[in-house]
Amino acid sequence: MRNVVIHWAYPMEFDHILSDVRMSDIGLYYITRSWGGKNSDLYIGKTTYSYKSRLESHWWYWLDEYRGKKYVRLGTITSPKRLREDHLKQLINDVEMTLIFCCREQLIHNQMCTQSCNPSQRLHIFNTGWRGNLPVEVYVPNEEWVESKLP
């Protein structure tokens, strides 16, 4: 099992995040909302091209379906470090799948990876920083992990 550390940035209102200096970066993001005195987890996603282009697509397609203020936390992989670009992109994909699968009960809008999870590697994720409702540690337990069998 590979250890991965994700640092979650301070939540920013969705209306303001698109002007943030990090919008050309890649990584993970976590969308929440505050409405009626409660906080809800809406979505975990990833981008391997830019936060700006990915978050803009949510703005136009589904985010207005939810009342209240929407917030975004940007997630950066802080460990392992110095990965080749293709390895970093694969790790971002694997982290997203694992987070969604393990947090599927609390994520309102995610639909992919809620029934099964098939990352290229088994991960033990440590969430740090402004992680909201995400657990400190996330991993697929032994009884739910299925090894792929190659012919």
Side-chain angles (χ1 to χ4, degrees):
M1 193 175 316
R2 184 174 191 180
N3 290 333
V4 179
V5 178
I6 308 298
H7 179 78
W8 295 98
Y10 189 81
M12 291 182 68
E13 281 190 53
F14 204 94
D15 294 343
H16 302 291
I17 195 146
L18 295 177
S19 61
D20 189 273
V21 297
R22 298 167 290 180
M23 287 299 97
S24 62
D25 295 347
I26 64 172
L28 300 139
Y29 57 92
Y30 169 37
I31 302 174
T32 59
R33 75 163 171 172
S34 178
W35 186 66
K38 295 173 71 179
N39 293 319
S40 309
D41 297 336
L42 296 180
Y43 192 82
I44 289 176
K46 54 99 174 137
T47 181
T48 55
Y49 39 98
S50 81
Y51 283 121
K52 183 174 175 101
S53 59
R54 190 68 184 114
L55 291 172
E56 281 178 334
S57 71
H58 292 310
W59 179 275
W60 295 110
Y61 292 110
W62 63 267
L63 208 54
D64 283 343
E65 295 174 18
Y66 298 96
R67 296 181 188 176
K69 286 192 176 194
K70 277 71 98 186
Y71 296 91
V72 180
R73 292 167 171 86
L74 302 179
T76 304
I77 295 174
T78 58
S79 177
K81 297 178 187 255
R82 294 182 288 283
L83 296 171
R84 285 192 349 224
E85 184 179 1
D86 58 331
H87 289 172
L88 176 60
K89 288 179 177 183
Q90 182 61 56
L91 186 56
I92 289 169
N93 286 327
D94 290 345
V95 167
E96 180 205 32
M97 283 188 257
T98 303
L99 284 172
I100 293 170
F101 182 74
C102 292
C103 299
R104 63 191 177 274
E105 301 294 324
Q106 69 197 57
L107 296 167
I108 295 171
H109 198 81
N110 282 98
Q111 295 176 356
M112 302 296 286
C113 301
T114 58
Q115 301 299 314
S116 63
C117 178
N118 191 24
S120 67
Q121 57 193 320
R122 192 168 182 197
L123 303 176
H124 189 157
I125 301 168
F126 297 89
N127 292 302
T128 66
W130 298 92
R131 60 184 178 79
N133 295 325
L134 296 177
V136 173
E137 293 184 50
V138 175
Y139 58 92
V140 178
N142 289 339
E143 59 273 10
E144 295 183 48
W145 181 257
V146 178
E147 291 287 338
S148 53
K149 296 189 166 106
L150 298 174

